[in-house]
Amino acid sequence: MKHMRRLRVNGPMRSLVRETSIEKTDLVYPVFIIEGENIKNPIESMPGIYQYSIDRFDEELYRILESGINAILIFGIPAHKDEVGSQAYDDNGVTQRAIRYIKNKAPELLIIADICLCEYTSHGHCGLICESKILNDETLPLLSKMSVSMAKAGVDIIAPSDMMDGRVKAIREALDENGFKDLMIMSYSAKYASAYYSPFRDAAQSAPSFGDRKTYQMDPSNLREAMRECQSDIEEGADVIMVKPALAYLDVIREASNRFDYPIAAYNVSGEYSMVKAAAKNGWIDEKRIVMENMIGIKRAGAKIIITYHALDVAKWLEER
């Protein structure tokens, strides 16, 4: 009779044989920078998360640096939006100014720039439109222009999330041509048309004004298609591939990890965060235990990088450990 319980008799023994662990270096914290002055807007659907104007961001930056988190994912919210998302690739846009500001204050902090037009367009879609149709090829030059603009601002990683076909190749070529051959691309390779994004659209003010995003984001039913998307992005020049969302797509993370010898990122998205926060507020769950179990599940599935709004809390709990 095998006595497997010998490996569980006490805390030190469980730690000795533990197969998966979470470290601060695994975590990326998303932040929202809004144009204007003296702004700290709470996002009601995402307790504990705020929109900051650049002049108020120091308090959040201090918390990030104190936590020991090494990387942030930045989303900019401009005052002006138009049909072509012109503020996305304006060298003096809110996101570009925020990147320069943060890099000046904390040069050691890795900054990842989300590359998508949805926060910058008046219609809220991720690409150009013509008669309610999302234009793929016509959008690629703008995504490339946006990537180069973010690179000039000093960003460390470019993360295209738009799900336009061919965007990784277009962005890689544009970066190389403009002297940014060493700049990494972390591609949202398997980004699903998920119901888990709703709170984010409050935070980024990016809800589409018509229709939905199902013609370019992936059908939640499809796994093999996700592998084709990952393969395509790798062939086009992606350095890291991402699965989004995380918790309902752990099988996709696992399959990508098994199939590709590339770093895998997973985005623990706003809806996943907000459900935990709501349940914890009502006293229905132990927030710390639930969050840490979720983090372990994502890591165990094969993700090396976890983008999560829980990052600062997780960092604190790791310190307590």
Side-chain angles (χ1 to χ4, degrees):
M1 181 180 186
K2 291 185 178 180
H3 289 269
M4 300 297 290
R5 289 178 56 192
R6 292 184 189 126
L7 303 178
R8 308 168 197 153
V9 294
N10 55 44
M13 183 64 74
R14 291 190 293 273
S15 295
L16 183 67
V17 299
R18 186 162 291 141
E19 299 174 18
T20 306
S21 63
I22 296 294
E23 307 297 336
K24 293 181 183 181
T25 51
D26 300 328
L27 305 173
V28 176
Y29 183 55
V31 299
F32 299 93
I33 307 293
I34 191 167
E35 196 149 22
E37 296 180 353
N38 195 30
I39 298 171
K40 181 183 177 181
N41 290 335
I43 301 161
E44 291 188 8
S45 58
M46 297 178 69
I49 305 298
Y50 297 83
Q51 298 169 334
Y52 289 93
S53 55
I54 295 173
D55 63 319
R56 288 289 302 275
F57 190 67
D58 277 5
E59 60 185 275
E60 184 76 331
L61 182 58
Y62 176 78
R63 290 205 307 150
I64 294 165
L65 296 176
E66 281 291 295
S67 76
I69 298 295
N70 291 334
I72 61 172
L73 173 61
I74 191 167
F75 296 93
I77 307 161
H80 169 74
K81 301 189 179 192
D82 54 35
E83 289 285 305
V84 296
S86 60
Q87 289 297 297
Y89 39 88
D90 184 336
D91 288 346
N92 200 39
V94 62
T95 313
Q96 290 86 338
R97 284 185 282 118
I99 291 167
R100 290 194 292 269
Y101 181 85
I102 295 167
K103 273 297 176 186
N104 182 58
K105 291 269 185 173
E108 72 280 12
L109 187 66
L110 288 176
I111 304 178
I112 305 167
D114 180 81
I115 301 298
C116 190
L117 299 184
C118 65
E119 298 127 70
Y120 305 89
T121 54
S122 52
H123 48 75
H125 277 286
C126 302
L128 298 177
I129 60 172
C130 181
E131 298 179 352
S132 299
K133 181 180 179 181
I134 313 303
L135 303 176
N136 190 95
D137 294 358
E138 291 83 352
T139 299
L140 300 184
L142 300 187
L143 297 171
S144 299
K145 192 175 180 181
M146 181 181 182
S147 299
V148 171
S149 181
M150 298 298 176
K152 289 178 180 177
V155 81
D156 298 287
I157 300 173
I158 294 294
S161 65
D162 55 282
M163 288 301 284
M164 298 295 119
D165 291 337
R167 90 272 203 206
V168 173
K169 182 175 185 290
I171 289 169
R172 182 74 271 162
E173 289 176 351
L175 291 173
D176 291 355
E177 289 168 4
N178 284 273
F180 298 104
K181 290 186 177 182
D182 293 332
L183 198 60
M184 181 196 298
I185 295 177
M186 175 191 292
S187 180
Y188 290 64
S189 299
K191 182 179 179 181
Y192 287 87
S194 172
Y196 284 100
Y197 302 150
S198 295
F200 173 88
R201 290 168 184 170
D202 296 336
Q205 299 176 3
S206 63
S209 60
F210 67 89
D212 53 43
R213 294 174 176 153
K214 292 180 180 178
T215 63
Y216 46 103
Q217 294 179 357
M218 285 187 56
D219 186 331
S221 302
N222 296 351
L223 170 63
R224 290 192 295 272
E225 181 186 0
M227 297 306 102
R228 296 196 296 272
E229 289 279 8
C230 291
Q231 182 68 52
S232 176
D233 284 358
I234 289 169
E235 291 172 355
E236 290 182 16
D239 303 287
V240 178
I241 54 178
M242 188 194 301
V243 176
K244 180 183 180 184
L247 296 178
Y249 299 87
L250 294 175
D251 60 321
V252 182
I253 297 170
R254 167 51 59 196
E255 186 68 18
S257 177
N258 286 342
R259 190 173 299 202
F260 304 110
D261 189 20
Y262 274 71
I264 308 294
Y267 200 144
N268 178 215
V269 298
S270 59
E272 297 168 336
Y273 170 87
S274 296
M275 289 191 299
V276 169
K277 285 291 186 180
K281 182 179 180 181
N282 282 284
W284 297 336
I285 61 170
D286 181 326
E287 180 179 356
K288 176 180 175 180
R289 290 187 63 192
I290 289 286
V291 171
M292 295 306 292
E293 194 169 332
N294 286 343
M295 296 299 106
I296 287 291
I298 296 167
K299 183 87 176 281
R300 192 180 62 244
K304 175 60 186 81
I305 300 162
I306 303 174
I307 303 167
T308 178
Y309 302 95
H310 296 292
L312 299 188
D313 285 335
V314 171
K316 179 184 68 176
W317 295 329
L318 290 173
E319 285 288 340
E320 292 171 356
R321 179 189 64 182

